[in-house]
Amino acid sequence: MRRATLAPAWGLTEAEAQERQRRGEANTSVQGGSRTYGEILRTNVFSFFNLILFAIGAALLTLERYSDALVSVGLGLINAVISAAQEIRAKRKLDRLQLLDRANVLVIRDGREVEIVPELVVRGDVLHVRPGDQIVVDGPLLDGGRLEADESLLTGESDPVVKHPGDELRSGSVCVAGDGHQQARDVGPHSYAGRLTAEARRSTTDKTPLQRRIEFIVRLVMVLTALMSGAILAQAAIEGFSVLRVVQITAVLSGLVPYGLFFLIALAYTAGAVRIARYGALVQQVNAVESVSNVDVVCTDKTGTLTTGQLTLDEVVPLGGHEYGEVATALGSLAHNTTTPNLTALALAAALPGDPWEVRDEVPFSSASRWSGLVAAEGTWVLGAPDALAPHLVRPAPADQVAERAGAGLRVLLLARAAQPAGAEPLPAASEAGTGLRPAGEAGTGLRDDAGRPELPSLEPIALVALADELRDDVIATVRRFGEEGVALKVLSGDDPRTVAAIARRAGIDAGEPVPGAAIDGLGDAALDALVGRTTVFGRVAPEHKERIVRSLRRQGRYVAMIGDGVNDARALKQAHIGVAMRSGSAVTRDVADIVLVDDSFAALPPAQLEGRKIINGIGISLYVFLARVVSQGLVILTVTMLGLGFPYSPTQVGLTMFTVGVPTVFLTFWAGANRPDPFLLRNLVRFVVPASVVTATFGAAVYTALYEIVVKGFSHGRRTPHEIIAEFESYTGLTYGIDADFTTASATIMAQTGLSTFFCFASFGLILFLAPRSRFFAAWTAPTGDTRPALLVLGLCAVFSAVLCVPVFWQYFGLIGPSRPVFFVVLPALLIWYGTLTVVFRVRLFDRLLGLDDPPCP
């Protein structure tokens, strides 16, 4: 630490400060807030279902069934790793959040000013606050001090706030002018910045509607699979199956759970995030890709979202008979000669020409005085708020004109000149230099009193100056697109409600009657919900108000996106279904956001919504295929087991689902359209999956039974006997079916399994033609899409699978036999009849009628 100059003999002693540090009263950084790494791993990797998979995998490895173990455990482990990695990445970002910077501060210890790091400040310390210092603790401004604090980081209010002795200084604000001493009352996690940081670090990721639906479906399938497994394993125990067969059966049954859906969602979200990034939206929370498509209300700040944060000159209204040209030149010259220009001066300088002045004195703008001025050879000029200059005017400014423009959302300023002595000439016409100003010898009164403090002289009103917040170029078109999509907009701002409402109207938003944040205080949930439901614009809102408004919208069943750029928006972003931050905003806000708008334009959101809809629709199609395959397999297993024809699958054959269902659904997900997602997804899943599964399982069980009986009754596979078939299969795969049955039964099982797997693979490809028909010929379930890609995908998949059946290394791995005439002559007719039967069932709405469902989706 560095010791500096002497200070008043008050504050703590070094011994007192160290004692308070030992008591835990130091300004320590906020720690934690998110889940620990152990909790993340336990939740994602060691879930109940994963533990079952790991147990099965361990048993298969012990029995040296390495391929079966890989198929049974691999996908679940991949899902667990992806989920854990995503959550760990989010945790690291949240743990890095810090609202306060680490710059040293000045405290008074032992009667001297001492420079220390913020973490060493303790409760009761006295801090010396200077311009440019960030306030690091909460506490009052002590006697003898007066300063201006920029609280925009906390409240969104753009103007500095004057602080007098006794006023509260909040951590996270910045001293922009003045000087004083503050007593540290609330430090560390108890300070305002500490509470905000802790809230921002809290993990609040919402599951999207699609994620909840899929989780429900998976849990339902798990329950049904568990019930079915109990019955089948009990039968296996009665029949005396070996440990190997029991483990294999368990692996097959666990494979019925459509766990691949989670992997598909992760893949689709990742691809969607890449596509959304092209529009200027950086996805930080993967499920935001889907979540953004569900949004029906967007809450946004004004500055930085609707507006650029810059000002433009809207109008100059000369007063007292002055000409516009001379007034504009004087106003432009005033702006060009200002040495410390603010946003107002920059806007005026950009819009008006000006001449160089011989400046003798300057009073910069301050939020306390609300005016600025120059003393030059050309005169004494002042620009400020009309009400701030009113007591010094020799004649009043037109209040009606000021009110009219303020009501339209404009910032109205008054240009005034020091009043001339009696008998002096009025403002002359433009001089040779074009300034229209008095010569140097006629300079007016100065702008300071005898002590050098700013003081206004008598002023003559010259002109009203109206400035407008600059709207973003694309904001009007974006608001229109949101309206077309049925997305409501609500503006939550720290500025004056009337100003915010006027800007909202300029952007095309129906602002209605604006409501100040103070009106929210004291309202119960019911009253607040009613107010929020009918109000579009809220002004003078604090972070707590924004948070309550977002919660209210969620209670009303709305799907909320919150757009913000300041720390004051962080809590509301956390409460919303999806938080959106501007890239130019604070680091805290960017880190807690689900999406960051890299171009600072919320025009990226409507295209992102369309991409999100494609993801939802694509995953919806994949759900149809996944569930139809799972339910069909489950019904076949039950049927074959009840018939006493062995077990219809081996673990590696279930692994074919990754090829027959996983691969095509990835393509279908990326090819889906951007139409509105199906609001009756679960209902329509039932309407499709039930008939498709029953018909497919019926034909699948028939194929299995036919091939099984063919072998048992002595039909050979070409010229090979059943003994030759099983011997060849065992030599390739090492399976020992002969332990549980004689060679004839084992060869019949293998033949039937091959036929069943072949039928199911081609049937899964055929379902794609029902879900994405190219023409009306295939449009038994839904309307034609006109897209040829799904049909070409089906042809390609059929060709690839046919090649798999002809390549020994592949059919051996999946526990099948090679090309076989019995399989061909049984499976091919079954597929043709199956497709025709399912077409008729869908077209006549057979299952809709049996289940009492109306409004079929078919054309």
Side-chain angles (χ1 to χ4, degrees), residues 185 341 344 368 407 414 421 451 496 517 621 741 744 785 820 857:
R185 186 191 64 242
T344 298
L414 178 64
D496 183 88
I621 293 176
T744 301
T785 64
S820 169

Side-chain angles (χ1 to χ4, degrees), residues 272-492:
V274 172
R275 294 195 294 194
I276 287 176
R278 300 172 187 167
Y279 301 104
L282 176 64
V283 176
Q284 299 194 126
Q285 189 69 36
V286 289
N287 66 356
V289 172
E290 179 220 332
S291 192
V292 69
S293 66
N294 298 304
V295 170
D296 59 12
V297 59
V298 173
C299 298
T300 178
D301 200 351
K302 172 185 70 68
T303 304
T305 306
L306 299 180
T307 64
T308 62
Q310 303 298 317
L311 298 175
T312 58
L313 178 62
D314 184 81
E315 186 181 15
V316 176
V317 182
L319 303 175
H322 297 300
E323 296 293 332
Y324 174 83
E326 59 190 19
V327 170
T329 301
L331 185 60
S333 299
L334 176 65
H336 281 282
N337 287 276
T338 299
T339 58
T340 56
N342 55 13
L343 290 178
T344 298
L346 291 174
L348 294 175
L352 300 172
D355 299 318
W357 284 357
E358 182 184 337
V359 178
R360 299 173 179 174
D361 189 17
E362 178 178 1
V363 177
F365 176 85
S366 72
S367 57
S369 63
R370 298 168 63 206
W371 60 268
S372 63
L374 286 180
V375 178
E378 291 77 8
T380 298
W381 295 87
V382 174
L383 182 66
D387 57 333
L389 304 188
H392 305 275
L393 297 177
V394 296
R395 63 175 181 274
D400 56 340
Q401 295 189 45
V402 172
E404 177 186 356
R405 287 162 177 80
L410 300 176
R411 299 190 182 190
V412 183
L413 300 175
L414 178 64
L415 174 66
R417 182 185 61 181
Q420 300 178 29
E425 294 294 327
L427 184 69
S431 64
E432 287 185 355
T435 63
L437 303 174
R438 290 182 298 172
E442 299 181 22
T445 310
L447 295 174
R448 299 182 187 273
D449 60 15
D450 294 338
R453 292 186 296 265
E455 182 183 67
L456 287 172
S458 296
L459 298 171
E460 175 192 358
I462 302 299
L464 291 177
V465 181
L467 297 164
D469 286 281
E470 184 180 59
L471 288 177
R472 289 190 174 276
D473 293 336
D474 47 15
V475 68
I476 295 177
T478 302
V479 169
R480 187 186 310 114
R481 288 188 65 179
F482 276 131
E484 293 170 352
E485 296 294 334
V487 178
L489 284 168
K490 293 187 182 293
V491 185
L492 318 179

Side-chain angles (χ1 to χ4, degrees), residues 601-787:
S601 171
F602 78 150
L605 289 183
Q609 273 197 310
L610 297 181
E611 290 295 337
R613 288 177 182 174
K614 291 180 181 179
I615 296 297
I616 294 178
N617 293 332
I619 294 176
I621 293 176
S622 302
L623 271 174
Y624 286 95
V625 180
F626 259 103
L627 292 182
R629 173 68 185 260
V630 167
V631 176
S632 300
Q633 284 181 323
L635 292 175
V636 168
I637 290 173
L638 280 176
T639 302
V640 171
T641 304
M642 291 173 61
L643 293 175
L645 302 179
F647 198 76
Y649 291 105
S650 69
T652 51
Q653 289 165 3
V654 173
L656 282 171
T657 304
M658 281 299 297
F659 172 71
T660 59
V661 177
V663 173
T665 51
V666 169
F667 286 96
L668 292 175
T669 298
F670 297 153
W671 292 342
N675 53 300
R676 289 184 179 276
D678 183 3
F680 306 106
L681 178 62
L682 292 179
R683 182 169 178 262
N684 285 330
L685 273 173
V686 173
R687 303 173 72 166
F688 180 87
V689 171
V690 170
S693 300
V694 171
V695 173
T696 303
T698 300
F699 279 87
V703 167
Y704 183 93
T705 303
L707 289 171
Y708 189 93
E709 293 298 325
I710 286 175
V711 176
V712 168
K713 291 181 179 180
F715 287 91
S716 63
H717 180 68
R719 297 183 178 180
R720 295 183 292 175
T721 66
H723 292 71
E724 293 170 336
I725 296 172
I726 192 65
E728 178 183 343
F729 185 78
E730 287 181 341
S731 68
Y732 281 125
T733 66
L735 294 176
T736 53
Y737 280 89
I739 295 176
D740 296 328
D742 59 24
F743 282 163
T744 301
T745 302
S747 61
T749 300
I750 298 168
M751 178 77 75
Q753 287 178 342
T754 301
L756 178 62
S757 296
T758 303
F759 172 81
F760 259 98
C761 287
F762 284 111
S764 297
F765 302 152
L767 289 178
I768 297 175
L769 298 178
F770 286 106
L771 293 168
R774 166 67 179 82
S775 62
R776 293 189 63 85
F777 178 78
F778 299 102
W781 164 253
T782 189
T785 64
D787 190 352

Side-chain angles (χ1 to χ4, degrees), residues 780-855:
W781 164 253
T782 189
T785 64
D787 190 352
T788 59
R789 292 175 297 181
L792 295 176
L793 174 63
V794 170
L795 291 177
L797 291 171
C798 290
V800 172
F801 184 70
S802 298
V804 168
L805 294 177
C806 297
V807 178
V809 66
F810 291 125
W811 55 258
Q812 291 165 12
Y813 176 82
F814 289 110
L816 308 174
I817 62 174
S820 169
R821 265 187 267 174
V823 172
F824 178 80
F825 285 116
V826 171
V827 171
L828 182 60
L831 283 170
L832 295 176
I833 299 173
W834 164 83
Y835 193 87
T837 303
L838 196 54
T839 298
V840 172
V841 168
F842 282 144
R843 287 194 182 276
V844 302
R845 310 195 316 269
L846 177 61
F847 278 81
D848 284 353
R849 296 176 180 177
L850 291 176
L851 297 175
L853 301 176
D854 299 323
D855 301 323

